[in-house]
Amino acid sequence: LLLTLIAVTVLMSSCVNPDKLTFGGIESIQLKGVSTSQMGLDIGVHATNSSSHNVTLTDMQIEIKHQGTTQLTFNLREKSVVPRKSDGIVTLPLTVRFNGPLGALGMYSVFTKGLEGVTVSGHATVKAGWVKKKWDIPEMSLDELARQSGINIEELFKAQFAQ
């Protein structure tokens, strides 16, 4: 999900040709501390940048809502760079906040019941060369976004909380 949003964000940047950037998927997920209200994640994404510019994700916030109430907020903890002329793993350091009254437990309860009424929205800021662009992610159905990305969100959450 995030990979798709970030890939689209990077491609929206005007000084890097979209053909010069490719994303091969998530290579690793590393947990960086957990509490009932938030957790840190370092997501390793395989990325290739054959352009002559570094591409930097400087800011990102994505909200996942259920019935209009924010359940999860993803924030970029620090900048993430896809170096020019590179092919390798790029780390996206994220903080995930559980915003419901029961924290992670409430979020699990909401998402195991299905994705009806769940939406995603937010923004991301990308810098490439001298150009910096903020891209707004309009509110859309998480179910639709997941289907377009080939991700089964319900199975993903069940697998994560079953461990």
Side-chain angles (χ1 to χ4, degrees):
L1 167 68
L2 290 177
L3 176 65
T4 302
L5 293 173
I6 292 165
V8 170
T9 300
V10 170
L11 296 178
M12 296 293 288
S13 177
S14 61
C15 71
V16 175
N17 184 339
D19 296 336
K20 306 266 183 186
L21 293 167
T22 59
F23 295 90
I26 295 174
E27 297 289 327
S28 64
I29 299 176
Q30 196 172 31
L31 200 55
K32 295 288 186 176
V34 178
S35 73
T36 57
S37 63
Q38 71 179 20
M39 71 179 168
L41 290 177
D42 282 355
I43 299 178
V45 178
H46 185 264
T48 302
N49 179 2
S50 59
S51 77
S52 58
H53 298 285
N54 289 341
V55 177
T56 305
L57 181 62
T58 61
D59 177 48
M60 181 181 73
Q61 180 177 348
I62 297 173
E63 291 184 340
I64 297 180
K65 297 178 181 179
H66 179 257
Q67 307 280 333
T69 302
T70 301
Q71 298 293 318
L72 289 173
T73 304
F74 292 85
N75 289 300
L76 190 66
R77 286 193 322 263
E78 57 190 62
K79 294 178 183 179
S80 185
V81 178
V82 182
R84 65 181 183 210
K85 307 287 185 192
S86 69
D87 181 23
I89 307 300
V90 174
T91 300
L92 300 175
L94 302 174
T95 298
V96 181
R97 281 193 174 50
F98 308 112
N99 298 321
L102 298 176
L105 184 59
M107 188 264 325
Y108 173 72
S109 173
V110 166
F111 288 111
T112 57
K113 294 177 183 172
L115 295 178
E116 188 172 327
V118 177
T119 60
V120 62
S121 63
H123 70 270
T125 304
V126 176
K127 182 180 179 206
W130 296 100
V131 176
K132 189 173 189 179
K133 179 173 179 141
K134 182 176 179 181
W135 182 60
D136 289 320
I137 303 163
E139 190 163 346
M140 67 181 77
S141 161
L142 181 61
D143 190 34
E144 179 62 27
L145 180 63
R147 256 196 316 271
Q148 291 175 5
S149 305
I151 298 170
N152 185 330
I153 297 292
E154 291 172 353
E155 291 301 317
L156 179 67
F157 280 117
K158 285 179 186 174
Q160 286 299 319
F161 286 100
Q163 297 177 359

PDB file of all heavy atoms in Angstrom, residues 1-2 4 26 64 111-116 118 142-161:
ATOM      1  N   LEU A   1       0.826  -1.190   0.000  1.00  0.00           N
ATOM      2  CA  LEU A   1       0.000   0.000   0.000  1.00  0.00           C
ATOM      3  C   LEU A   1       0.870   1.254   0.000  1.00  0.00           C
ATOM      4  O   LEU A   1       0.732   2.102  -0.848  1.00  0.00           O
ATOM      5  CB  LEU A   1      -0.911  -0.027   1.223  1.00  0.00           C
ATOM      6  CG  LEU A   1      -1.638   1.253   1.569  1.00  0.00           C
ATOM      7  CD1 LEU A   1      -2.660   1.573   0.511  1.00  0.00           C
ATOM      8  CD2 LEU A   1      -2.298   1.116   2.909  1.00  0.00           C
ATOM      9  N   LEU A   2       1.749   1.345   0.987  1.00  0.00           N
ATOM     10  CA  LEU A   2       2.611   2.520   1.055  1.00  0.00           C
ATOM     11  C   LEU A   2       3.534   2.576  -0.137  1.00  0.00           C
ATOM     12  O   LEU A   2       3.834   3.641  -0.656  1.00  0.00           O
ATOM     13  CB  LEU A   2       3.437   2.507   2.339  1.00  0.00           C
ATOM     14  CG  LEU A   2       2.655   2.756   3.602  1.00  0.00           C
ATOM     15  CD1 LEU A   2       3.555   2.641   4.818  1.00  0.00           C
ATOM     16  CD2 LEU A   2       2.023   4.113   3.572  1.00  0.00           C
ATOM     17  N   THR A   4       2.983   1.642  -3.135  1.00  0.00           N
ATOM     18  CA  THR A   4       2.243   2.191  -4.273  1.00  0.00           C
ATOM     19  C   THR A   4       2.106   3.704  -4.155  1.00  0.00           C
ATOM     20  O   THR A   4       2.342   4.431  -5.114  1.00  0.00           O
ATOM     21  CB  THR A   4       0.844   1.544  -4.341  1.00  0.00           C
ATOM     22  OG1 THR A   4       1.012   0.132  -4.463  1.00  0.00           O
ATOM     23  CG2 THR A   4       0.069   2.073  -5.521  1.00  0.00           C
ATOM     24  N   ILE A  26       8.504  -4.785  -1.372  1.00  0.00           N
ATOM     25  CA  ILE A  26       9.025  -4.691  -0.008  1.00  0.00           C
ATOM     26  C   ILE A  26       9.959  -5.866   0.233  1.00  0.00           C
ATOM     27  O   ILE A  26       9.598  -7.025   0.041  1.00  0.00           O
ATOM     28  CB  ILE A  26       7.873  -4.681   1.010  1.00  0.00           C
ATOM     29  CG1 ILE A  26       7.036  -3.416   0.829  1.00  0.00           C
ATOM     30  CG2 ILE A  26       8.412  -4.787   2.438  1.00  0.00           C
ATOM     31  CD1 ILE A  26       5.796  -3.361   1.690  1.00  0.00           C
ATOM     32  N   ILE A  64      -5.524   6.471   7.739  1.00  0.00           N
ATOM     33  CA  ILE A  64      -6.493   5.439   7.389  1.00  0.00           C
ATOM     34  C   ILE A  64      -7.664   5.611   8.353  1.00  0.00           C
ATOM     35  O   ILE A  64      -7.490   5.621   9.571  1.00  0.00           O
ATOM     36  CB  ILE A  64      -5.882   4.033   7.480  1.00  0.00           C
ATOM     37  CG1 ILE A  64      -4.741   3.919   6.458  1.00  0.00           C
ATOM     38  CG2 ILE A  64      -6.954   2.971   7.248  1.00  0.00           C
ATOM     39  CD1 ILE A  64      -4.043   2.597   6.419  1.00  0.00           C
ATOM     40  N   PHE A 111     -10.372  -3.771  11.506  1.00  0.00           N
ATOM     41  CA  PHE A 111      -9.946  -4.306  10.220  1.00  0.00           C
ATOM     42  C   PHE A 111     -10.266  -5.784  10.021  1.00  0.00           C
ATOM     43  O   PHE A 111     -10.352  -6.241   8.892  1.00  0.00           O
ATOM     44  CB  PHE A 111      -8.462  -4.030   9.984  1.00  0.00           C
ATOM     45  CG  PHE A 111      -8.201  -2.579   9.709  1.00  0.00           C
ATOM     46  CD1 PHE A 111      -7.520  -1.801  10.630  1.00  0.00           C
ATOM     47  CD2 PHE A 111      -8.662  -1.981   8.556  1.00  0.00           C
ATOM     48  CE1 PHE A 111      -7.290  -0.455  10.387  1.00  0.00           C
ATOM     49  CE2 PHE A 111      -8.446  -0.641   8.303  1.00  0.00           C
ATOM     50  CZ  PHE A 111      -7.752   0.121   9.228  1.00  0.00           C
ATOM     51  N   THR A 112     -10.459  -6.550  11.077  1.00  0.00           N
ATOM     52  CA  THR A 112     -10.825  -7.952  10.894  1.00  0.00           C
ATOM     53  C   THR A 112     -12.286  -8.104  10.503  1.00  0.00           C
ATOM     54  O   THR A 112     -12.696  -9.169  10.065  1.00  0.00           O
ATOM     55  CB  THR A 112     -10.539  -8.786  12.163  1.00  0.00           C
ATOM     56  OG1 THR A 112     -11.240  -8.208  13.260  1.00  0.00           O
ATOM     57  CG2 THR A 112      -9.056  -8.871  12.433  1.00  0.00           C
ATOM     58  N   LYS A 113     -13.067  -7.030  10.631  1.00  0.00           N
ATOM     59  CA  LYS A 113     -14.483  -7.065  10.244  1.00  0.00           C
ATOM     60  C   LYS A 113     -14.692  -6.725   8.768  1.00  0.00           C
ATOM     61  O   LYS A 113     -15.800  -6.775   8.280  1.00  0.00           O
ATOM     62  CB  LYS A 113     -15.286  -6.101  11.107  1.00  0.00           C
ATOM     63  CG  LYS A 113     -15.329  -6.509  12.560  1.00  0.00           C
ATOM     64  CD  LYS A 113     -16.059  -5.491  13.388  1.00  0.00           C
ATOM     65  CE  LYS A 113     -16.014  -5.895  14.848  1.00  0.00           C
ATOM     66  NZ  LYS A 113     -16.536  -4.852  15.728  1.00  0.00           N
ATOM     67  N   GLY A 114     -13.623  -6.353   8.066  1.00  0.00           N
ATOM     68  CA  GLY A 114     -13.736  -6.012   6.654  1.00  0.00           C
ATOM     69  C   GLY A 114     -13.323  -4.576   6.395  1.00  0.00           C
ATOM     70  O   GLY A 114     -13.078  -3.814   7.322  1.00  0.00           O
ATOM     71  N   LEU A 115     -13.274  -4.228   5.119  1.00  0.00           N
ATOM     72  CA  LEU A 115     -12.778  -2.910   4.736  1.00  0.00           C
ATOM     73  C   LEU A 115     -13.874  -1.932   4.325  1.00  0.00           C
ATOM     74  O   LEU A 115     -13.572  -0.838   3.885  1.00  0.00           O
ATOM     75  CB  LEU A 115     -11.769  -3.054   3.592  1.00  0.00           C
ATOM     76  CG  LEU A 115     -10.482  -3.795   3.951  1.00  0.00           C
ATOM     77  CD1 LEU A 115      -9.589  -3.910   2.731  1.00  0.00           C
ATOM     78  CD2 LEU A 115      -9.768  -3.107   5.084  1.00  0.00           C
ATOM     79  N   GLU A 116     -15.127  -2.319   4.486  1.00  0.00           N
ATOM     80  CA  GLU A 116     -16.210  -1.410   4.130  1.00  0.00           C
ATOM     81  C   GLU A 116     -16.148  -0.171   5.025  1.00  0.00           C
ATOM     82  O   GLU A 116     -16.036  -0.270   6.244  1.00  0.00           O
ATOM     83  CB  GLU A 116     -17.567  -2.086   4.285  1.00  0.00           C
ATOM     84  CG  GLU A 116     -18.693  -1.233   3.738  1.00  0.00           C
ATOM     85  CD  GLU A 116     -20.009  -1.992   3.713  1.00  0.00           C
ATOM     86  OE1 GLU A 116     -19.993  -3.207   3.510  1.00  0.00           O
ATOM     87  OE2 GLU A 116     -21.042  -1.326   3.904  1.00  0.00           O
ATOM     88  N   VAL A 118     -13.660   1.962   5.071  1.00  0.00           N
ATOM     89  CA  VAL A 118     -12.273   2.318   5.377  1.00  0.00           C
ATOM     90  C   VAL A 118     -11.704   3.110   4.200  1.00  0.00           C
ATOM     91  O   VAL A 118     -11.786   2.685   3.050  1.00  0.00           O
ATOM     92  CB  VAL A 118     -11.412   1.064   5.641  1.00  0.00           C
ATOM     93  CG1 VAL A 118      -9.960   1.451   5.897  1.00  0.00           C
ATOM     94  CG2 VAL A 118     -11.970   0.280   6.824  1.00  0.00           C
ATOM     95  N   LEU A 142      -9.861   2.345   0.829  1.00  0.00           N
ATOM     96  CA  LEU A 142      -8.669   1.507   1.015  1.00  0.00           C
ATOM     97  C   LEU A 142      -8.836   0.183   0.278  1.00  0.00           C
ATOM     98  O   LEU A 142      -7.886  -0.343  -0.297  1.00  0.00           O
ATOM     99  CB  LEU A 142      -8.416   1.258   2.505  1.00  0.00           C
ATOM    100  CG  LEU A 142      -7.197   0.415   2.846  1.00  0.00           C
ATOM    101  CD1 LEU A 142      -5.917   1.076   2.347  1.00  0.00           C
ATOM    102  CD2 LEU A 142      -7.126   0.185   4.347  1.00  0.00           C
ATOM    103  N   ASP A 143     -10.046  -0.322   0.266  1.00  0.00           N
ATOM    104  CA  ASP A 143     -10.328  -1.569  -0.441  1.00  0.00           C
ATOM    105  C   ASP A 143     -10.003  -1.433  -1.922  1.00  0.00           C
ATOM    106  O   ASP A 143      -9.359  -2.294  -2.518  1.00  0.00           O
ATOM    107  CB  ASP A 143     -11.798  -1.952  -0.233  1.00  0.00           C
ATOM    108  CG  ASP A 143     -12.119  -3.346  -0.719  1.00  0.00           C
ATOM    109  OD1 ASP A 143     -11.240  -4.228  -0.617  1.00  0.00           O
ATOM    110  OD2 ASP A 143     -13.251  -3.558  -1.191  1.00  0.00           O
ATOM    111  N   GLU A 144     -10.411  -0.326  -2.531  1.00  0.00           N
ATOM    112  CA  GLU A 144     -10.139  -0.096  -3.957  1.00  0.00           C
ATOM    113  C   GLU A 144      -8.649   0.065  -4.212  1.00  0.00           C
ATOM    114  O   GLU A 144      -8.093  -0.505  -5.148  1.00  0.00           O
ATOM    115  CB  GLU A 144     -10.902   1.140  -4.451  1.00  0.00           C
ATOM    116  CG  GLU A 144     -10.655   1.464  -5.916  1.00  0.00           C
ATOM    117  CD  GLU A 144     -11.101   0.367  -6.873  1.00  0.00           C
ATOM    118  OE1 GLU A 144     -12.021  -0.396  -6.531  1.00  0.00           O
ATOM    119  OE2 GLU A 144     -10.504   0.264  -7.967  1.00  0.00           O
ATOM    120  N   LEU A 145      -7.993   0.843  -3.370  1.00  0.00           N
ATOM    121  CA  LEU A 145      -6.549   1.033  -3.515  1.00  0.00           C
ATOM    122  C   LEU A 145      -5.807  -0.295  -3.378  1.00  0.00           C
ATOM    123  O   LEU A 145      -4.895  -0.596  -4.147  1.00  0.00           O
ATOM    124  CB  LEU A 145      -6.035   2.033  -2.470  1.00  0.00           C
ATOM    125  CG  LEU A 145      -4.546   2.325  -2.501  1.00  0.00           C
ATOM    126  CD1 LEU A 145      -4.145   2.974  -3.824  1.00  0.00           C
ATOM    127  CD2 LEU A 145      -4.165   3.212  -1.329  1.00  0.00           C
ATOM    128  N   ALA A 146      -6.208  -1.097  -2.415  1.00  0.00           N
ATOM    129  CA  ALA A 146      -5.580  -2.403  -2.214  1.00  0.00           C
ATOM    130  C   ALA A 146      -5.805  -3.309  -3.418  1.00  0.00           C
ATOM    131  O   ALA A 146      -4.879  -3.981  -3.884  1.00  0.00           O
ATOM    132  CB  ALA A 146      -6.135  -3.057  -0.945  1.00  0.00           C
ATOM    133  N   ARG A 147      -7.018  -3.332  -3.943  1.00  0.00           N
ATOM    134  CA  ARG A 147      -7.316  -4.158  -5.120  1.00  0.00           C
ATOM    135  C   ARG A 147      -6.456  -3.752  -6.305  1.00  0.00           C
ATOM    136  O   ARG A 147      -5.901  -4.594  -7.005  1.00  0.00           O
ATOM    137  CB  ARG A 147      -8.792  -4.040  -5.495  1.00  0.00           C
ATOM    138  CG  ARG A 147      -9.615  -5.222  -5.099  1.00  0.00           C
ATOM    139  CD  ARG A 147     -10.965  -5.253  -5.802  1.00  0.00           C
ATOM    140  NE  ARG A 147     -11.655  -3.979  -5.847  1.00  0.00           N
ATOM    141  CZ  ARG A 147     -12.496  -3.534  -4.924  1.00  0.00           C
ATOM    142  NH1 ARG A 147     -12.755  -4.262  -3.875  1.00  0.00           N
ATOM    143  NH2 ARG A 147     -13.094  -2.372  -5.053  1.00  0.00           N
ATOM    144  N   GLN A 148      -6.326  -2.437  -6.525  1.00  0.00           N
ATOM    145  CA  GLN A 148      -5.499  -1.946  -7.633  1.00  0.00           C
ATOM    146  C   GLN A 148      -4.035  -2.326  -7.454  1.00  0.00           C
ATOM    147  O   GLN A 148      -3.316  -2.510  -8.422  1.00  0.00           O
ATOM    148  CB  GLN A 148      -5.618  -0.429  -7.760  1.00  0.00           C
ATOM    149  CG  GLN A 148      -6.950   0.050  -8.236  1.00  0.00           C
ATOM    150  CD  GLN A 148      -7.047   1.568  -8.224  1.00  0.00           C
ATOM    151  OE1 GLN A 148      -6.086   2.279  -7.942  1.00  0.00           O
ATOM    152  NE2 GLN A 148      -8.234   2.077  -8.532  1.00  0.00           N
ATOM    153  N   SER A 149      -3.603  -2.443  -6.194  1.00  0.00           N
ATOM    154  CA  SER A 149      -2.203  -2.756  -5.897  1.00  0.00           C
ATOM    155  C   SER A 149      -1.948  -4.248  -5.758  1.00  0.00           C
ATOM    156  O   SER A 149      -0.809  -4.665  -5.556  1.00  0.00           O
ATOM    157  CB  SER A 149      -1.792  -2.067  -4.592  1.00  0.00           C
ATOM    158  OG  SER A 149      -2.033  -0.695  -4.663  1.00  0.00           O
ATOM    159  N   GLY A 150      -2.996  -5.057  -5.801  1.00  0.00           N
ATOM    160  CA  GLY A 150      -2.832  -6.493  -5.651  1.00  0.00           C
ATOM    161  C   GLY A 150      -2.557  -6.917  -4.214  1.00  0.00           C
ATOM    162  O   GLY A 150      -1.957  -7.965  -3.968  1.00  0.00           O
ATOM    163  N   ILE A 151      -3.006  -6.129  -3.240  1.00  0.00           N
ATOM    164  CA  ILE A 151      -2.762  -6.416  -1.831  1.00  0.00           C
ATOM    165  C   ILE A 151      -4.072  -6.825  -1.170  1.00  0.00           C
ATOM    166  O   ILE A 151      -5.092  -6.177  -1.353  1.00  0.00           O
ATOM    167  CB  ILE A 151      -2.204  -5.162  -1.111  1.00  0.00           C
ATOM    168  CG1 ILE A 151      -0.875  -4.753  -1.723  1.00  0.00           C
ATOM    169  CG2 ILE A 151      -2.069  -5.408   0.382  1.00  0.00           C
ATOM    170  CD1 ILE A 151      -0.394  -3.391  -1.241  1.00  0.00           C
ATOM    171  N   ASN A 152      -4.043  -7.901  -0.386  1.00  0.00           N
ATOM    172  CA  ASN A 152      -5.196  -8.307   0.401  1.00  0.00           C
ATOM    173  C   ASN A 152      -4.982  -7.785   1.813  1.00  0.00           C
ATOM    174  O   ASN A 152      -4.307  -8.413   2.629  1.00  0.00           O
ATOM    175  CB  ASN A 152      -5.353  -9.831   0.390  1.00  0.00           C
ATOM    176  CG  ASN A 152      -6.625 -10.275   1.098  1.00  0.00           C
ATOM    177  OD1 ASN A 152      -7.096  -9.609   2.018  1.00  0.00           O
ATOM    178  ND2 ASN A 152      -7.151 -11.400   0.675  1.00  0.00           N
ATOM    179  N   ILE A 153      -5.533  -6.610   2.122  1.00  0.00           N
ATOM    180  CA  ILE A 153      -5.308  -5.933   3.400  1.00  0.00           C
ATOM    181  C   ILE A 153      -5.814  -6.771   4.568  1.00  0.00           C
ATOM    182  O   ILE A 153      -5.154  -6.863   5.600  1.00  0.00           O
ATOM    183  CB  ILE A 153      -5.989  -4.542   3.415  1.00  0.00           C
ATOM    184  CG1 ILE A 153      -5.378  -3.634   2.341  1.00  0.00           C
ATOM    185  CG2 ILE A 153      -5.892  -3.899   4.785  1.00  0.00           C
ATOM    186  CD1 ILE A 153      -3.957  -3.233   2.601  1.00  0.00           C
ATOM    187  N   GLU A 154      -6.979  -7.388   4.439  1.00  0.00           N
ATOM    188  CA  GLU A 154      -7.523  -8.181   5.539  1.00  0.00           C
ATOM    189  C   GLU A 154      -6.566  -9.307   5.909  1.00  0.00           C
ATOM    190  O   GLU A 154      -6.288  -9.537   7.085  1.00  0.00           O
ATOM    191  CB  GLU A 154      -8.900  -8.734   5.160  1.00  0.00           C
ATOM    192  CG  GLU A 154      -9.950  -7.653   5.061  1.00  0.00           C
ATOM    193  CD  GLU A 154     -11.271  -8.162   4.498  1.00  0.00           C
ATOM    194  OE1 GLU A 154     -11.328  -9.334   4.060  1.00  0.00           O
ATOM    195  OE2 GLU A 154     -12.233  -7.387   4.498  1.00  0.00           O
ATOM    196  N   GLU A 155      -6.049 -10.027   4.930  1.00  0.00           N
ATOM    197  CA  GLU A 155      -5.109 -11.114   5.198  1.00  0.00           C
ATOM    198  C   GLU A 155      -3.802 -10.586   5.783  1.00  0.00           C
ATOM    199  O   GLU A 155      -3.212 -11.211   6.656  1.00  0.00           O
ATOM    200  CB  GLU A 155      -4.829 -11.924   3.922  1.00  0.00           C
ATOM    201  CG  GLU A 155      -6.014 -12.730   3.458  1.00  0.00           C
ATOM    202  CD  GLU A 155      -6.500 -13.728   4.504  1.00  0.00           C
ATOM    203  OE1 GLU A 155      -5.659 -14.392   5.136  1.00  0.00           O
ATOM    204  OE2 GLU A 155      -7.730 -13.819   4.705  1.00  0.00           O
ATOM    205  N   LEU A 156      -3.362  -9.431   5.319  1.00  0.00           N
ATOM    206  CA  LEU A 156      -2.144  -8.815   5.836  1.00  0.00           C
ATOM    207  C   LEU A 156      -2.294  -8.518   7.331  1.00  0.00           C
ATOM    208  O   LEU A 156      -1.420  -8.862   8.133  1.00  0.00           O
ATOM    209  CB  LEU A 156      -1.832  -7.526   5.072  1.00  0.00           C
ATOM    210  CG  LEU A 156      -0.601  -6.749   5.503  1.00  0.00           C
ATOM    211  CD1 LEU A 156       0.657  -7.548   5.202  1.00  0.00           C
ATOM    212  CD2 LEU A 156      -0.555  -5.409   4.788  1.00  0.00           C
ATOM    213  N   PHE A 157      -3.408  -7.904   7.735  1.00  0.00           N
ATOM    214  CA  PHE A 157      -3.615  -7.588   9.144  1.00  0.00           C
ATOM    215  C   PHE A 157      -3.788  -8.858   9.975  1.00  0.00           C
ATOM    216  O   PHE A 157      -3.260  -8.951  11.079  1.00  0.00           O
ATOM    217  CB  PHE A 157      -4.833  -6.665   9.330  1.00  0.00           C
ATOM    218  CG  PHE A 157      -4.517  -5.233   9.046  1.00  0.00           C
ATOM    219  CD1 PHE A 157      -5.139  -4.568   8.008  1.00  0.00           C
ATOM    220  CD2 PHE A 157      -3.593  -4.549   9.819  1.00  0.00           C
ATOM    221  CE1 PHE A 157      -4.856  -3.241   7.742  1.00  0.00           C
ATOM    222  CE2 PHE A 157      -3.295  -3.219   9.556  1.00  0.00           C
ATOM    223  CZ  PHE A 157      -3.918  -2.570   8.523  1.00  0.00           C
ATOM    224  N   LYS A 158      -4.522  -9.825   9.458  1.00  0.00           N
ATOM    225  CA  LYS A 158      -4.697 -11.075  10.214  1.00  0.00           C
ATOM    226  C   LYS A 158      -3.350 -11.752  10.430  1.00  0.00           C
ATOM    227  O   LYS A 158      -3.066 -12.249  11.506  1.00  0.00           O
ATOM    228  CB  LYS A 158      -5.662 -11.999   9.467  1.00  0.00           C
ATOM    229  CG  LYS A 158      -7.107 -11.560   9.588  1.00  0.00           C
ATOM    230  CD  LYS A 158      -8.019 -12.489   8.819  1.00  0.00           C
ATOM    231  CE  LYS A 158      -9.443 -11.966   8.824  1.00  0.00           C
ATOM    232  NZ  LYS A 158     -10.322 -12.775   7.977  1.00  0.00           N
ATOM    233  N   ALA A 159      -2.529 -11.799   9.390  1.00  0.00           N
ATOM    234  CA  ALA A 159      -1.204 -12.427   9.499  1.00  0.00           C
ATOM    235  C   ALA A 159      -0.323 -11.687  10.502  1.00  0.00           C
ATOM    236  O   ALA A 159       0.391 -12.313  11.291  1.00  0.00           O
ATOM    237  CB  ALA A 159      -0.529 -12.486   8.146  1.00  0.00           C
ATOM    238  N   GLN A 160      -0.367 -10.371  10.511  1.00  0.00           N
ATOM    239  CA  GLN A 160       0.467  -9.574  11.425  1.00  0.00           C
ATOM    240  C   GLN A 160       0.072  -9.787  12.869  1.00  0.00           C
ATOM    241  O   GLN A 160       0.915  -9.876  13.745  1.00  0.00           O
ATOM    242  CB  GLN A 160       0.375  -8.082  11.080  1.00  0.00           C
ATOM    243  CG  GLN A 160       1.118  -7.710   9.826  1.00  0.00           C
ATOM    244  CD  GLN A 160       2.606  -7.994   9.919  1.00  0.00           C
ATOM    245  OE1 GLN A 160       3.233  -7.758  10.928  1.00  0.00           O
ATOM    246  NE2 GLN A 160       3.161  -8.529   8.862  1.00  0.00           N
ATOM    247  N   PHE A 161      -1.230  -9.863  13.146  1.00  0.00           N
ATOM    248  CA  PHE A 161      -1.665  -9.973  14.524  1.00  0.00           C
ATOM    249  C   PHE A 161      -1.742 -11.415  15.010  1.00  0.00           C
ATOM    250  O   PHE A 161      -1.868 -11.652  16.203  1.00  0.00           O
ATOM    251  CB  PHE A 161      -3.013  -9.267  14.724  1.00  0.00           C
ATOM    252  CG  PHE A 161      -2.857  -7.778  14.719  1.00  0.00           C
ATOM    253  CD1 PHE A 161      -3.150  -7.042  13.571  1.00  0.00           C
ATOM    254  CD2 PHE A 161      -2.384  -7.114  15.822  1.00  0.00           C
ATOM    255  CE1 PHE A 161      -2.979  -5.668  13.562  1.00  0.00           C
ATOM    256  CE2 PHE A 161      -2.206  -5.738  15.817  1.00  0.00           C
ATOM    257  CZ  PHE A 161      -2.514  -5.027  14.688  1.00  0.00           C
TER     258      PHE A 161
END
